[in-house]
Amino acid sequence: MSMLITVTKNLLEGFSTTFEIFGLTLLMALPLGLIISFGSMSRFKVIRWPIRTIIWIIRGTPLMLQLIIFGFGPGFIGIKGVNTFVAAIVAFVINYACYFSEIFRGGIESIPKGQYEAGQVLGLTKTQTFFKVVLMQVVKRIVPPMSNEFLTLVKDTSLANTIMVYEIIWNAKRLANASGILWPLFYSGVFYLAFCGILTLIFGYVEKKLNYYRG
Amino acid sequence: MSILELKNIHKSFGKTKVLKGIDLTLEKGQVLSIIGSSGSGKTTLLRCINLLEIADEGEFLVNGEVIFRAGEKISAKEMQQKQLHFGLVFQDFNLFPQYTVLDNVMLAPKLHAKEEYKKDRKKRKEIFDKIREEAIEILDRVGLKDKIDSYPCELSGGQKQRVSIARALALKPSILFFDEPTSALDPELTGEILKVIRKLASEKTTMVIVTHEIDFAEAVSDKIIFMDDGLIEEEGTPEEVLKSPKSERTRAFLTKLSDQ
């Protein structure tokens, strides 16, 4: 029994790091993703093509590899003392911002041209039209793909242990190695499952809330 | 002075010349209907005047003030100001689905009032109350007072179009434009829109209507133009254009319509 409590405590400690990665990534990747999506839709090729190339590279290579590059890359070129937690956050933010940007782009491009024209003939500025007319409709449309990304992020945080960020899997592995028991590793799955369950409920609620109108 | 004056408007899309030199004047309080077959440039003309398309050549004036002159660059802010001379009712409504009927009507007036209450936050409530009052009054005029809290998806096509008319009226435009306002509606719903337009005409609202409803155009208009192949082929009172057209093409168009 006391073993279970010790393990639970240990895993919870690791899970707080997991949660930090999750929260900080969302906090920065969502606005960055919106900015990147504007870049990828820019009229100007000099903006559009570099942005699309970056999206291609980030989406086309494993997140684990990106973590290693940001985690160990600085040391390799002689920059000492880089905090691996910060490196992990940078890697997650860039990676997820690129995925989010494509979801935003899809959402924004799905809004009919007539909505923008209605805004224009009512004398609204482009910014007003985007924030007062378009954005809310985009949000409604991207909730389902976003919930997918959020759930994926919860589980992707476990990759951070490859660059020695002490999140829940790291703690579970350490316990397994130290005491020769495997079950803490399986037990860690329960934490992910519970967290994803809560997220699913929240997204269900948001979807329902946004269902007050169609179109 | 004419309320609207178009001079030599040209517009091409790629190599296709859609407008080939349109000259037109409209007096305050007049109703102008634009008829013509699909592809004759009616809608493009309307979109050029409403600055949704930028004409390649020509200029137009409202009450003698230049609103557009080809080749002249204007700032976004000026453009926004000029836009407010006009109201446009779209064929497919383009209501904002996430807002109630009342909020659809109030959105633009509230955003435009920002300058007024920016310095004095206390005035905000006062201004918003006034906007609300006016919006409800306008919705009452189009017969939708009992629908102010509905969402567009809960309305019929005719009701949606009446909201979109109210939304345009709320900004008190000098000229109200309609782009085939009944084309997206079931035939039994066109009547309620035509009734609203007729009422606006009796109140001396200056209007330009692109329409396929010839009988309606005849009843409501002071002036009709028939467009063909990017030019005004015939222009005059409903009597002149519809009853005794001078142009062969107008006659052919009218015959084709009455055959249907």
Side-chain angles (χ1 to χ4, degrees):
Chain A
M1 196 60 204
S2 71
M3 185 66 182
L4 181 65
I5 295 170
T6 317
V7 171
T8 306
K9 254 186 177 165
N10 240 296
L11 292 186
L12 267 178
E13 218 172 87
F15 194 71
S16 76
T17 306
T18 296
F19 188 78
E20 275 170 37
I21 301 173
F22 175 80
L24 288 171
T25 301
L26 287 184
L27 197 68
M28 291 182 271
L30 284 168
L32 182 61
L34 189 61
I35 294 168
I36 294 176
S37 77
F38 288 140
S40 71
M41 291 184 287
S42 171
R43 280 183 293 139
F44 306 109
K45 275 189 186 156
V46 286
I47 299 173
R48 194 171 66 235
W49 285 112
I51 295 277
R52 290 199 174 177
T53 307
I54 292 168
I55 295 174
W56 169 60
I57 292 170
I58 295 295
R59 295 201 310 163
T61 55
L63 175 55
M64 190 189 273
L65 209 53
Q66 292 162 21
L67 279 161
I68 291 169
I69 288 171
F70 282 103
F72 300 136
F76 193 71
I77 56 168
I79 305 166
K80 294 275 181 308
V82 170
N83 183 327
T84 54
F85 179 77
V86 174
I89 295 295
V90 171
F92 274 108
V93 167
I94 294 176
N95 183 280
Y96 271 81
C98 285
Y99 280 98
F100 288 157
S101 81
E102 286 295 281
I103 294 178
F104 284 131
R105 186 171 68 84
I108 291 169
E109 288 180 346
S110 75
I111 302 300
K113 210 171 118 225
Q115 293 288 308
Y116 293 94
E117 293 187 344
Q120 191 194 324
V121 297
L122 291 170
L124 272 50
T125 61
K126 285 205 164 81
T127 318
Q128 285 173 332
T129 304
F130 183 76
F131 284 105
K132 297 288 178 180
V133 175
V134 175
L135 187 61
M136 185 66 173
Q137 299 180 50
V138 172
V139 169
K140 183 181 160 94
R141 285 171 197 220
I142 66 176
V143 165
M146 272 297 173
S147 78
N148 254 340
E149 287 300 315
F150 277 44
L151 294 191
T152 308
L153 174 59
V154 172
K155 291 160 292 168
D156 275 354
T157 54
S158 62
L159 290 171
N161 85 76
T162 53
I163 57 168
M164 291 177 299
V165 173
Y166 305 144
E167 46 68 71
I168 183 165
I169 294 284
W170 174 281
N171 280 10
K173 274 207 289 200
R174 199 191 37 149
L175 281 168
N177 291 338
S179 345
I181 44 171
L182 208 53
W183 62 267
L185 209 45
F186 301 134
Y187 183 29
S188 70
V190 175
F191 289 81
Y192 289 104
L193 207 53
F195 190 39
C196 285
I198 294 169
L199 282 179
T200 306
L201 289 177
I202 293 174
F203 270 102
Y205 174 78
V206 170
E207 248 179 85
K208 217 169 125 192
K209 271 277 161 194
L210 287 172
N211 254 343
Y212 70 89
Y213 75 90
R214 286 197 313 272
Chain B
M1 196 185 337
S2 305
I3 191 161
L4 178 68
E5 196 175 352
L6 306 187
K7 293 179 183 167
N8 197 29
I9 304 292
H10 286 254
K11 175 73 189 171
S12 301
F13 293 110
K15 281 187 176 150
T16 318
K17 286 186 178 152
V18 182
L19 299 175
K20 302 174 178 171
I22 302 286
D23 295 278
L24 187 66
T25 58
L26 186 68
E27 304 306 319
K28 195 171 162 44
Q30 274 194 335
V31 178
L32 166 72
S33 289
I34 305 176
I35 59 171
S37 41
S38 307
S40 59
K42 313 180 295 280
T43 294
T44 304
L45 178 61
L46 216 60
R47 291 175 59 85
C48 281
I49 303 171
N50 280 277
L51 305 168
L52 291 173
E53 306 286 352
I54 302 303
D56 303 324
E57 224 179 285
E59 59 178 35
F60 52 87
L61 304 89
V62 170
N63 291 322
E65 179 201 345
V66 176
I67 297 297
F68 172 83
R69 187 172 281 155
E72 255 178 34
K73 283 244 185 295
I74 55 167
S75 69
K77 188 138 185 100
E78 273 177 288
M79 180 104 155
Q80 211 190 336
Q81 283 307 315
K82 292 176 188 237
Q83 197 93 51
L84 290 174
H85 287 289
F86 309 125
L88 175 61
V89 175
F90 295 89
Q91 183 175 339
D92 44 7
F93 333 123
N94 292 333
L95 294 178
F96 306 135
Q98 74 271 40
Y99 293 127
T100 61
V101 165
L102 185 60
D103 286 334
N104 261 279
V105 177
M106 294 195 304
L107 178 70
K110 276 186 176 173
L111 290 173
H112 294 312
K114 225 170 207 166
E115 291 289 314
E116 281 176 66
Y117 67 74
K118 210 162 62 185
K119 287 175 203 94
D120 185 2
R121 298 293 293 187
K122 269 175 266 164
K123 274 176 74 183
R124 192 182 133 122
K125 193 183 173 319
E126 200 179 302
I127 291 168
F128 278 19
D129 284 346
K130 196 166 153 267
I131 289 172
R132 188 188 161 83
E133 214 172 280
E134 284 177 1
I136 292 175
E137 193 236 295
I138 293 167
L139 282 163
D140 192 22
R141 271 166 67 197
V142 298
L144 287 174
K145 202 178 176 181
D146 54 334
K147 293 284 182 198
I148 58 170
D149 292 323
S150 302
Y151 288 93
C153 60
E154 300 164 338
L155 304 179
S156 72
Q159 289 169 333
K160 281 184 199 165
Q161 193 57 299
R162 282 187 279 154
V163 175
S164 114
I165 293 172
R167 185 175 68 176
L169 284 173
L171 292 172
K172 306 184 183 75
S174 313
I175 309 169
L176 187 54
F177 293 82
F178 294 84
D179 184 13
E180 301 189 21
T182 59
S183 293
L185 300 178
D186 293 331
E188 73 267 24
L189 296 176
T190 59
E192 56 188 275
I193 301 304
L194 302 182
K195 206 173 108 190
V196 170
I197 298 176
R198 211 170 264 142
K199 193 164 148 200
L200 291 171
S202 72
E203 292 160 1
K204 291 287 161 211
T205 313
T206 312
M207 291 185 283
V208 177
I209 308 164
V210 169
T211 185
H212 291 294
E213 310 263 344
I214 301 292
D215 294 337
F216 172 71
E218 182 176 3
V220 81
S221 315
D222 300 290
K223 185 172 174 179
I224 291 186
I225 63 175
F226 169 69
M227 280 184 70
D228 188 70
D229 197 22
L231 287 166
I232 295 178
E233 180 76 15
E234 185 133 6
E235 161 170 20
T237 62
E239 186 79 359
E240 289 164 353
V241 175
L242 300 175
K243 295 288 176 264
S244 48
K246 294 184 209 75
S247 141
E248 192 56 48
R249 290 185 174 187
T250 317
R251 241 171 292 165
F253 173 74
L254 291 171
T255 319
K256 215 164 79 190
L257 271 189
S258 58
D259 283 349
Q260 276 166 6

